[in-house]
Amino acid sequence: LDVGVAKAEAHDLLGLAQPRALAWRGGEEELRYFDGGNFTVWLQNVALPCVGDVKSFTDEEPYEDLSLPIARLYLDGGQLDIIAKKVLCRLSGDFFGQMTFMAKNASQGSSDWRQHGLPPGNFPAVAAASGPAFNASKFAFLEMPKKQSEDFWKSAHGVLSDFFKAVLAGRLEPSKMSENPIEDDEEPPVGSVRKLVGRRCREVVEESPSEVLIEGFDEWRRDHPRRTLQLDLLSPMLAEWNITVYRLDFGANECPSDVLRSISAGYSGYFFAHAHARQRGRKLQRLKKLDPDFTKVMSFVQKHSETAIVASEVLGRLNAAVAVAERSTQP
């Protein structure tokens, strides 16, 4: 922040009726005047650009000093980056002293935007956090169109302003890491394994009209190929009993902690949800053993299902189907 003292004759040019502190903030054309309050905090705010480019931990230190809620703009080097940054700069002026605004390269920190609950592949993207701390509550702006345009950004000021006001007022539930939900017209055929994403965890676990078996895993699980084959073949068999099967990738999704907790990295885990669980007061069930064989998985299903499913019968069909599938892939 460059500091200077204006001569008395410059007061008229600057619109000053009396000596007063003023500043030009990076990215803004209009002057900002100090109107009282904590002068040090005012200086800290005007020292930050309207939307600061943050590329390292050092760049984030001034934001940490202020401890204000933070708006984050994630850019990917596309044609809309410039107009998106202009819109956020204007919003930064509206929320001066209430929030700080920064821009980050989405390709340099995918874990950052994922932790804010933003889906991949749709940038520029906007999110906010209740503060600079790593464990601060995070909020994703999820009304971004799939195919962004300059026209959207020209009219985005109002909807983004409402989003930031809701963040500051505490009216939003914190976002969880989530891939994009599957659209209704993209759902796999009946009996296929479905993808469960963080944003739909509560809905599936608490409101599913059918019973649900969920396989949770991350990218480090050790027996991925065979377990994937087994679940793919099991899913249509369970569908005969109106049991829907989902996969949940914990590496890209996070469920609310009061709904479904993650498991240890490198393992697969299984969960069972009853139909209309919340309405009926039924809790999510978890198979305690990680990386269980499918004998235990089917015993777990039979124990908690309200159908007349017989685990041994389904398991016999599954083992036969797996053997056929594995033989067909052998040279």
Side-chain angles (χ1 to χ4, degrees):
L1 181 64
D2 294 328
V3 179
V5 179
K7 295 182 179 179
E9 54 266 28
H11 287 184
D12 291 339
L13 292 174
L14 296 173
L16 297 174
Q18 58 185 12
R20 191 178 181 191
L22 54 88
W24 283 275
R25 191 163 65 132
E28 290 184 333
E29 296 181 359
E30 296 183 1
L31 282 167
R32 290 203 167 271
Y33 300 94
F34 177 64
D35 292 317
N38 189 315
F39 185 62
T40 300
V41 172
W42 181 81
L43 283 176
Q44 287 177 302
N45 274 284
V46 297
L48 291 174
C50 62
V51 181
D53 290 314
V54 171
K55 300 177 181 179
S56 67
F57 291 121
T58 302
D59 293 337
E60 296 200 24
E61 289 177 358
Y63 298 89
E64 295 172 356
D65 293 339
L66 276 170
S67 293
L68 289 174
I70 299 176
R72 292 187 169 100
L73 173 66
Y74 294 95
L75 305 172
D76 66 351
Q79 296 180 346
L80 296 174
D81 285 6
I82 294 176
I83 188 171
K85 198 169 182 180
K86 286 182 178 178
V87 173
L88 268 290
C89 185
R90 181 183 167 197
L91 285 160
S92 175
D94 297 343
F95 290 92
F96 180 81
Q98 302 175 68
M99 300 182 75
T100 55
F101 285 66
M102 65 170 63
K104 307 186 80 171
N105 186 330
S107 65
Q108 292 182 347
S110 62
S111 62
D112 193 37
W113 53 259
R114 285 185 186 277
Q115 289 165 2
H116 283 73
L118 289 167
N122 193 14
F123 300 101
V126 176
S130 60
F134 176 79
N135 61 351
S137 296
K138 298 175 176 63
F139 309 90
F141 177 73
L142 298 174
E143 297 180 40
M144 202 71 74
K146 286 186 176 180
K147 295 184 179 179
Q148 296 185 40
S149 66
E150 191 169 321
D151 288 339
F152 165 77
W153 280 101
K154 286 179 179 178
S155 61
H157 183 276
V159 67
L160 287 172
S161 179
D162 290 342
F163 168 67
F164 293 133
K165 288 176 182 176
V167 170
L168 292 174
R171 297 199 304 267
L172 299 181
E173 182 176 343
S175 302
K176 297 295 183 182
M177 183 168 58
S178 178
E179 297 175 276
N180 269 323
I182 301 296
E183 301 292 341
D184 291 339
D185 58 355
E186 298 175 349
E187 285 285 5
V190 174
S192 300
V193 179
R194 300 188 174 198
K195 181 169 75 171
L196 180 58
V197 301
R199 212 175 303 155
R200 289 199 61 209
C201 268
R202 188 179 297 278
E203 175 188 349
V204 169
V205 170
E206 297 183 350
E207 301 175 16
S208 173
S210 68
E211 294 181 335
V212 170
L213 176 67
I214 300 169
E215 179 189 74
F217 62 94
D218 63 20
E219 61 183 307
W220 306 109
R221 68 173 176 174
R222 295 166 293 182
D223 56 354
H224 171 71
R226 192 163 200 271
R227 193 170 289 274
T228 296
L229 173 64
Q230 288 173 303
L231 193 70
D232 285 344
L233 294 173
L234 177 63
S235 183
M237 298 177 189
L238 293 184
E240 298 171 13
W241 298 91
N242 198 28
I243 301 173
T244 306
V245 178
Y246 286 88
R247 281 194 182 94
L248 171 61
D249 182 355
F250 287 118
N253 300 278
E254 180 185 4
C255 293
S257 59
D258 63 327
V259 175
L260 190 157
R261 291 184 179 273
S262 182
I263 61 174
S264 301
Y267 293 93
S268 296
Y270 293 83
F271 305 83
F272 187 90
H274 297 275
H276 305 290
R278 181 173 60 182
Q279 179 182 335
R280 299 168 59 212
R282 305 301 296 270
K283 293 183 178 180
L284 180 74
Q285 302 298 320
R286 173 177 173 174
L287 180 57
K288 292 182 180 180
K289 183 173 178 56
L290 298 176
D291 280 354
D293 60 40
F294 272 74
T295 301
K296 288 185 171 60
V297 173
M298 280 310 307
S299 296
F300 173 66
V301 171
Q302 178 179 305
K303 177 180 178 181
H304 296 290
S305 175
E306 296 177 74
T307 70
I309 191 170
V310 178
S312 58
E313 294 178 0
V314 176
L315 189 63
R317 292 173 58 195
L318 174 62
N319 290 337
V322 170
V324 170
E326 289 181 333
R327 282 198 301 270
S328 68
T329 61
Q330 293 176 356

